[in-house]
Amino acid sequence: MSDVELQTLVKQYFKVPKALQELPLILIPKHLLPLSVEMKQQHPFIHQAIQEWLDIARRDDEFLRIERRLIPHIPVYIANTSKGQQFFKIAKAIGDIPLTASVVPKNQNQGYWLKTLHYFWQARGVVMAQQLLGLIQNPLEEGGVFIHHFPDTTINNLKLTKEIDIACFRILVRGQRIIKQWAQKNEINYAFSNPLELFIEILKQNFLVAWYLRPCNQNWTWITRKKQRENIADRAYMLKKLIWQESPFDNYYYCKKKQQYLDYLQGAGWDGYWILAMRGQINARYNKHLELYLGDYLSAFIQGKELFVDEFDWRSGQPYKKREKNGKITNRPQQIQGIVDLCGYILWSWS
């Protein structure tokens, strides 16, 4: 019995949780798109394509030392056209960032978490590709491929992420000439043939920063969720001030914070360079067209600020989280453990 057949059987007899899971991207002939989900999965061509995707996913599991017989999955069917192939390329490039960013888990919990992030980024890639190209129904709306499989919190996080991603991408498209000129002036190599390549590089560097600050943290001290929220609030404030305003009346505290933020951006690679390239563009008459896009990005960033706060507190490389006990939330985070259930879903529970 193949993985696809076994997964179908499990769904018939077990109540499966709403959770992130593998998203095979399946390019199929246009005439097969109208078929029902059940008929698609029974078609020999599609059945084989899903199985080949799951074989690759199983090799990822082996690298992350994840042991499970089943890999829960939701196929995403795309018409095998030139536009469909472009959809596939965009979604996969974004979705694979956690596994292509050269991070190596230091323990089993980090392996489970990296795979969980991989699932979220796969969904993020599908959402972005759909926003840019259409081809499939919005996966986050009623009737979309994600809506009845993911928890409401995940759907909401993907909606917020989508707004940030689209706003950033539009700036990169509209400001491409400015960014290139800034890079040349600052002797920084601009090695991108189009804004989409730059966008994916920004996402990759953003992922790496988050990984090294959190799961990769081997210290007993850690950046608490409260502190993370404070940092994000500061970042939103500094981002607004940095792009929109320059004042000779800034106090010492503000000047110091601004310089710290500038130093961070200088050292963040393209995750910071594109913001530096946008500095002062609002007040330039010939760049007024950027004002709307920069405003959209800042609004989306503020609306989705909770996305930048990790679900866990990471210390000594292990995840911790506060729990509810006897109707009360514990004062101190307690260590949490990743587990794989009988259906292959990655779940988290307190040790």
Side-chain angles (χ1 to χ4, degrees):
M1 182 179 292
S2 70
D3 290 347
V4 178
E5 292 168 331
L6 187 56
Q7 182 74 23
T8 302
L9 189 64
V10 165
K11 287 183 177 180
Q12 291 176 349
Y13 292 98
F14 291 90
K15 183 178 180 181
V16 297
K18 284 190 172 184
L20 287 162
Q21 50 195 296
E22 191 76 29
L23 298 176
L25 302 173
I26 309 300
L27 288 165
I28 64 174
K30 291 179 68 174
H31 71 273
L32 295 180
L33 283 174
L35 296 178
S36 68
V37 173
E38 292 76 15
M39 292 184 68
K40 282 191 182 80
Q41 292 191 358
Q42 292 172 7
H43 191 283
F45 169 81
I46 297 175
H47 187 282
Q48 181 180 352
I50 295 175
Q51 187 63 52
E52 289 173 354
W53 184 286
L54 292 178
D55 289 341
I56 295 172
R58 196 166 301 286
R59 290 199 290 271
D60 294 338
D61 274 9
E62 291 175 2
F63 170 73
L64 298 174
R65 295 179 295 177
I66 297 174
E67 296 182 7
R68 52 181 169 174
R69 174 65 180 90
L70 296 174
I71 297 181
H73 58 277
I74 308 168
V76 178
Y77 300 107
I78 312 158
N80 192 5
T81 61
S82 58
K83 197 173 181 181
Q85 291 168 11
Q86 188 179 5
F87 185 112
F88 181 98
K89 184 177 179 181
I90 293 170
K92 194 168 190 308
I94 294 172
D96 282 352
I97 282 175
L99 297 187
T100 58
S102 301
V103 299
V104 179
K106 299 294 193 298
N107 55 56
Q108 189 59 72
N109 278 330
Q110 289 186 18
Y112 286 140
W113 186 238
L114 184 58
K115 191 60 184 179
T116 301
L117 292 176
H118 183 210
Y119 286 159
F120 184 85
W121 281 71
Q122 283 183 332
R124 184 177 185 173
V126 171
V127 170
M128 185 64 177
Q130 190 277 332
Q131 288 292 299
L132 295 178
L133 298 171
L135 291 186
I136 66 171
Q137 183 175 348
N138 187 334
L140 303 176
E141 294 180 350
E142 189 61 39
V145 68
F146 298 160
I147 199 70
H148 295 299
H149 296 283
F150 291 171
D152 292 342
T153 52
T154 299
I155 295 294
N156 186 56
N157 287 343
L158 285 168
K159 288 179 178 179
L160 293 171
T161 302
K162 175 197 72 175
E163 295 301 322
I164 295 173
D165 285 349
I166 290 295
C168 175
F169 182 69
R170 285 173 175 164
I171 292 172
L172 301 183
V173 171
R174 298 286 178 167
Q176 184 178 18
R177 176 182 57 83
I178 295 167
I179 296 171
K180 284 183 176 180
Q181 289 175 346
W182 179 90
Q184 184 177 19
K185 180 180 177 181
N186 289 273
E187 299 182 346
I188 293 172
N189 182 32
Y190 185 95
F192 311 104
S193 59
N194 56 63
L196 184 61
E197 288 184 6
L198 172 56
F199 174 72
I200 291 172
E201 178 63 22
I202 289 169
L203 293 186
K204 183 179 292 186
Q205 293 183 7
N206 185 269
F207 173 82
L208 283 170
V209 168
W211 181 266
Y212 284 115
L213 283 178
R214 296 164 187 172
C216 204
N217 173 35
Q218 295 298 311
N219 298 322
W220 183 246
T221 57
W222 71 100
I223 304 175
T224 65
R225 287 163 59 82
K226 179 181 178 182
K227 184 61 178 176
Q228 289 179 48
R229 291 187 176 95
E230 291 174 356
N231 290 343
I232 294 303
D234 284 345
R235 181 178 171 188
Y237 177 79
M238 296 303 302
L239 186 62
K240 181 177 181 179
K241 292 291 184 180
L242 192 65
I243 294 177
W244 273 269
Q245 299 179 17
E246 292 286 346
S247 172
F249 304 107
D250 294 332
N251 61 34
Y252 172 77
Y253 174 79
Y254 168 72
C255 289
K256 182 178 179 182
K257 294 289 287 186
K258 183 171 77 170
Q259 190 56 52
Q260 288 174 345
Y261 188 49
L262 283 170
D263 292 342
Y264 164 77
L265 293 176
Q266 289 284 2
W270 279 104
D271 191 27
Y273 293 161
W274 75 274
I275 296 176
L276 292 172
M278 289 296 104
R279 289 192 69 197
Q281 296 306 315
I282 291 300
N283 295 324
R285 285 183 299 173
Y286 52 85
N287 288 331
K288 290 292 285 185
H289 67 284
L290 284 170
E291 185 169 352
L292 172 64
Y293 300 99
L294 290 166
D296 287 345
Y297 176 77
L298 182 62
S299 297
F301 181 89
I302 293 172
Q303 187 71 24
K305 60 182 183 296
E306 196 66 18
L307 295 167
F308 301 93
V309 180
D310 205 294
E311 183 174 346
F312 305 134
D313 287 315
W314 290 90
R315 50 177 165 170
S316 298
Q318 294 290 352
Y320 286 72
K321 190 175 184 179
K322 292 181 179 180
R323 66 186 301 185
E324 184 175 330
K325 199 171 185 179
N326 300 325
K328 296 181 179 180
I329 303 295
T330 55
N331 290 328
R332 292 181 175 275
Q334 300 178 22
Q335 187 168 348
I336 202 165
Q337 186 74 33
I339 58 173
V340 175
D341 70 6
L342 291 175
C343 298
Y345 291 89
I346 299 173
L347 308 174
W348 298 86
S349 64
W350 282 273
S351 303

